[in-house]
Structures are given as C-alpha cells and as structure tokens.
C-alpha cells in the first residue's frame, strides 16, 4: 500500500493511522496495548513492516513490543535493561548523589540499515542497543560513564535520554540528548562520547554556559545535511552548522522560545517547525492559540501557521516526540497534543486538519512514508 | 499443581483466559511458583518481579486465602490449600493512582 502510516503513542495505548498519498481520508486502528503508556513507536527505515514500541505502566514495568507486519500484530521481545557494571550515581533533585536506576524506555531508534538493530534511550539516562530485533539489550556504557555523569541531574520529567540521531554519512556517529545534561556525540559507534553544548546558555543552572546540565528538549537534522542540527531547548531554539561543535540561537521573532518538538521539512533542509509554548511553568500555547511556527531560513525568521488550528481557548501541549514529517511532495507535517488530537498538514504546514480529536494524551507521533 | 490468577493486563500479555495451572517441583514457594510461571510464560519476565534482583515490583501484591502474602519470604512454603491446588494464589495490581 502506498501512502502514509502514523504511529501514535499515547497515555493509554498505541494507534496506527493510515492514509493514501492524498492524506485526506484516514483509517484509525487501535488502541493496541490498551491501558498501557506507549512512550514511543517507530518503524525501521530498512524494513517498514518492522516496528518497535515502548510499553510501560507503573504496575508492570517496561515491555518492548515488536511488529513484523506494520503494526497489525505484535509480540513482546526483550525487556531486560541492565546497566553495565556498577552504575554509580548521578545527582538527584536535592543535589545529593543517587544511584542510577532504570525506569523506562523513552525513545526507540531503529538503525538506518538493519531492521534487527535498534537503539533505546532510557531513564535514568543511558543508551542501549539491540542487534537481534529487540530480544536482548546491551548498554553503550561509555556515555553514562562519561566523567560528567555523576553531575547529571533530572529535568522535571525525569533524567531521560530522549533523542537519538544517526548520521547517514558517518555510520559510527550518533547524537543523543538528555534532560537535563545536554547533547553528546560519539564518532566511534558509542564507545566514547563528548558533550556538545558549546553556545548553549541556560539561566536555570548555576553556570549558564556549563559543559553539561542543559535541558535540551529535542534535536533534529535533515538526512542530506547531517552536520546541520536544530534544537528546541527548554528555552531557546538553537542551530549548529558544525555537527554540534557549537550552537547559535535562532529563536528570532517566535512569541515564545520555550517548547518541546522541532522538526525539519523532508525536502527543504532550511525549513523547520516548532510549536511555541508559553513557559516552563505554564505548559500551554501563548494566548490560547495553537500555532506551529515555520522558518524557511533555518531559524530567526518565523511565520505562524494557524489555518485549521484552534485560535481561541486552546490549552494543550505538544511533547518532544509528538511531531513528525513524511517524505511525500508536498511534505506532510503531523503533531499530536496532550488533549488527544492528532493534526495533519498535507501542504507543509500551510493548513491543518485533525485526523482524530479524542485520543488519550499523545506522547509521540512518528510517520512512515510507504512506497 | 498450583493455580494462579493474573491481573487483566498480564492475562492479555500472556494470552491466557482465566486462571493458570502450573506444575511446581518440590515444596511450592513464591519463588518456585514465579520461576515456573516465567518459564511457561517468558513474556511475563520483569512484570511481576525485577529480572535481576527478583524483588517484587512495588505495586504488585500476592493474595491467597484472603491473606496478603506479599511480604512473606520468597522461600517460605505457601499455605497448604495453595500448595495442594484447592485455592489459587492471586497476583494483584495494587489499587494505586488516586
């Protein structure tokens, strides 16, 4: 089937939304895993029928589900996430050391080339890898064992590794982001890591320009230009032109530069999208208006996109993994909200319409463009 | 033969209806019942007890004969009616969450 498949993780289950390439009529399948929190679902770029889902509850812990048929059926695979060696401590909210303790998988990132290889970003922050389709998991411990690790501290949502970007031009290079430690990069497949936070400025930490400690919410890249990265930080939208060696602020004329998701147009590497949120203490859209902002200049100059989005009395949030783009032409843009709406734009953001309005709170949205 | 009743979510995960019946070698204890349960239904590993420490998850309880056995020793013999299969042991998701 050609078209688009959206993989939606929510507070109470997973949903699969499908459409033909026109993206006007949608079929809604779900909930899968009803009653469980689905933090993230993502398909393999190498085999679109292979999907991975992170499933949790406070009662029964972490499960990983795998589908080999595009989400029609699922099977539980390995859920044993054990830190390498003696994990040591990080900082807790009270400033005291606290032993690393696995809580959940926030993000699953399948390999660009191998359907059986997948990365998992977890809380407390660490990166795991499976090379057998999720049956077993090994920690890439060099990250957690970085000398700065004992000084990492959680953001309000927990100390989570939430973003994993693979560089298509350098297979051994990964970028990850942790709240609230910041961005790290490996150039050797995960053995060694460097903090990549030069240029970030965060007023909420003792040294605003510290090497680590920044609450990075999301980073994004265009696959054709992996040295250019875009970041939505706790406050500030940032850009790097040198593979995260340095960052410059590109918040420009945004009504608020606080937010969670950021994404890049599939065919225009300088066109980026964010959803401004009023503040860190008020996770609602400014003025009760749900607006996506688009920059066609790689930042600084932003235009508001409102057609089809509620422009009064709207108080939903859009979480960091809840925005995605397809690779059709025109590029489709999608996002899900804490109010259970999933909005779609089939014209690169010019106009929007809800695919569904009443799902449980949306944690994540991923898109597969099917040939 | 030990009878085990799982909470709804775990029954769905294990793809079972109603109560389970497990053969347990020797004197049945919480540990040997959970070992047998996880051997027969490996998808349950980690959902009732930690896979490394074997500690019961905080919001899981074990009830039998209208008693809470959750804090009994893992290696304590289960009550005779449970050991003989005349009464089930209940794995319960604790009421929590407000």
């Amino acid at each position: 089937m050609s078209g688009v498949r959206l993989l939606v993780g929510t507070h109470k289950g997973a949903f699969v939304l499908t459409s033909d390439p026109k993206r006007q009529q949608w079929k809604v399948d779900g909930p899968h895993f009803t009653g469980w929190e689905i933090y993230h679902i993502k398909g393999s770029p190498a085999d679109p029928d292979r999907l991975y889902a992170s499933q949790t509850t406070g009662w029964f812990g972490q499960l990983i589900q795998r589908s080999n048929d595009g989400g029609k059926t699922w099977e539980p695979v390995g859920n044993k996430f054990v830190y390498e060696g003696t994990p040591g401590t990080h900082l807790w909210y009270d400033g005291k050391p606290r032993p690393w303790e696995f809580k959940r998988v926030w993000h699953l990132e399948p390999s660009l080339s191998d359907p059986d290889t997948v990365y998992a970003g977890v809380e407390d922050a660490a990166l795991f890898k499976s090379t057998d389709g999720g049956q077993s998991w090994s920690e890439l411990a060099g990250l957690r064992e970085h000398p700065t690790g004992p000084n990492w501290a959680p953001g309000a949502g927990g100390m989570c590794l939430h973003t994993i970007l693979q560089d298509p031009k350098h297979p051994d290079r990964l970028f990850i982001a942790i709240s609230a430690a910041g961005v790290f990069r490996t150039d050797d497949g995960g053995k060694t890591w460097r903090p990549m936070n030069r240029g970030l400025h965060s007023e909420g930490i003792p040294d605003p320009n510290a090497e680590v400690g920044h609450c990075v919410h999301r980073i994004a890249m265009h696959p054709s230009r992996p040295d250019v990265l875009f970041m939505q930080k706790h406050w500030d939208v940032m850009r790097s032109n040198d593979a995260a060696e340095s960052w410059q602020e590109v918040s420009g004329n945004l009504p608020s530069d606080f937010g969670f998701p950021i994404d890049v147009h599939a065919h225009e590497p300088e066109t980026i999208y964010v959803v401004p949120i009023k503040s860190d203490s008020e996770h609602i859209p400014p003025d009760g208006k749900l607006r996506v902002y688009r920059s066609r200049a790689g930042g600084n100059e932003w235009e508001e996109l409102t057609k089809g989005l509620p422009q009064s009395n709207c108080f939903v949030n859009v979480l960091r993994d809840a925005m995605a783009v397809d690779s059709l032409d025109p590029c489709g843009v999608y996002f899900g909200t804490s109010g259970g709406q999933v909005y779609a734009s089939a014209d690169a953001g010019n106009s929007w319409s809800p695919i569904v309005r009443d799902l449980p709170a949306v944690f994540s949205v991923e898109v597969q463009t099917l040939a | 033969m030990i009878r085990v009743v799982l909470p709804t979510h775990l029954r769905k995960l294990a793809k079972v209806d109603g109560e389970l019946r497990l053969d347990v070698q020797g004197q049945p204890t919480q540990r040997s019942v959970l070992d047998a349960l996880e051997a027969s239904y490996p998808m349950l590993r980690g959902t009732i007890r930690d896979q490394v420490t074997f500690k019961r998850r905080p919001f899981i309880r074990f009830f039998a004969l209208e008693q809470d056995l959750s804090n009994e020793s893992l290696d304590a013999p289960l009550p005779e009616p449970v050991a003989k299969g005349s009464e089930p042991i209940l794995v319960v998701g604790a009421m929590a969450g407000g």
Side-chain angles (χ1 to χ4, degrees), chain B residues 8-28:
Chain B
T8 304
H9 279 311
L10 297 189
R11 285 203 302 273
K12 284 185 184 174
L13 179 63
K15 296 187 167 65
V16 296
D17 293 318
E19 66 182 38
L20 304 176
R21 289 162 188 264
L22 299 171
D23 287 323
V24 175
Q25 301 297 316
Q27 174 71 53

Side-chain angles (χ1 to χ4, degrees), chain A residues 75-153:
Chain A
E75 59 180 325
V77 288
N79 61 342
K80 193 173 182 179
F81 291 89
V82 180
Y83 298 114
E84 286 287 326
T86 303
T89 60
H90 60 81
L91 291 182
W92 193 234
Y93 297 106
D94 58 4
K96 294 176 180 168
R98 186 179 180 93
W100 244 269
E101 181 184 16
F102 173 82
K103 296 187 179 67
R104 62 175 62 82
V105 172
W106 277 66
H107 186 97
L108 291 161
E109 191 68 34
S111 154
L112 298 175
S113 56
D114 174 17
D116 283 336
T117 296
V118 55
Y119 298 93
V122 314
E123 179 188 355
D124 288 339
L127 183 63
F128 285 78
K129 183 179 183 181
S130 172
T131 57
D132 56 8
Q135 297 289 359
S136 63
W137 297 90
S138 302
E139 188 192 5
L140 299 174
L143 173 63
R144 182 180 46 78
E145 292 170 348
H146 188 273
T148 60
N151 296 322
W152 299 356

Side-chain angles (χ1 to χ4, degrees), chain A residues 319-334:
Chain A
L319 298 181
R320 72 190 82 226
D321 258 341
M323 178 180 258
V325 299
D326 69 31
S327 57
L328 295 173
D329 189 12
C331 176
V333 188
Y334 308 86

